[in-house]
Amino acid sequence: MYSIFDASAIQYAGDFCRVAEMLWKREKDSYQSMAGAILLSISLMAHGKNHDVLTYASDAMKMGTRLGLFGAPAGQAANNTSQSSTGDATPEELSARSHAAWGVFNWNV
């Protein structure tokens, strides 16, 4: 999408998508991977790969559900514990979680 501002950027788009998709296949559930799937989904939309756009958006939502960010019963807050075994989340971790969840939710809605 940046090629709207700089036409020379389009030459990198194909390589970016190939590397991003390769990395996606290797990643484990994490807030960073979840957010990355949304960015990949958005970038693929610019290439007319609508099926892939929906696949990555859906995969990010499923990942968020596995991470406890979505799917809580009505009237109950989603799991807000840290990925670490200590259960103590830093403000930075909470912020990353919240931003990833909000981005995935918005893109899927």
Side-chain angles (χ1 to χ4, degrees):
M1 292 182 180
Y2 182 74
S3 64
I4 293 170
F5 303 105
D6 180 358
S8 68
I10 197 70
Q11 66 183 324
Y12 304 108
D15 289 340
F16 167 78
C17 286
R18 280 189 290 283
V19 171
E21 288 178 315
M22 179 189 65
L23 291 172
W24 173 253
K25 292 174 184 173
R26 288 197 244 161
E27 289 298 315
K28 305 277 191 246
D29 287 355
S30 72
Y31 306 114
Q32 295 86 352
S33 294
M34 196 173 81
I38 294 304
L39 293 174
L40 181 57
S41 175
I42 292 168
S43 70
L44 290 170
M45 183 173 53
H47 293 278
K49 296 183 177 184
N50 295 336
H51 177 74
D52 293 335
V53 169
L54 297 174
T55 298
Y56 286 109
S58 175
D59 286 352
M61 182 64 85
K62 291 173 189 170
M63 186 179 287
T65 301
R66 289 191 301 272
L67 290 169
L69 297 173
F70 309 116
Q76 185 177 4
N79 179 6
N80 205 17
T81 60
S82 174
Q83 286 178 294
S84 69
S85 60
T86 65
D88 297 324
T90 67
E92 292 80 15
E93 290 170 326
L94 289 174
S95 179
R97 245 185 261 171
S98 298
H99 283 89
W102 189 243
V104 169
F105 172 79
N106 280 303
W107 188 240
N108 277 274
V109 171

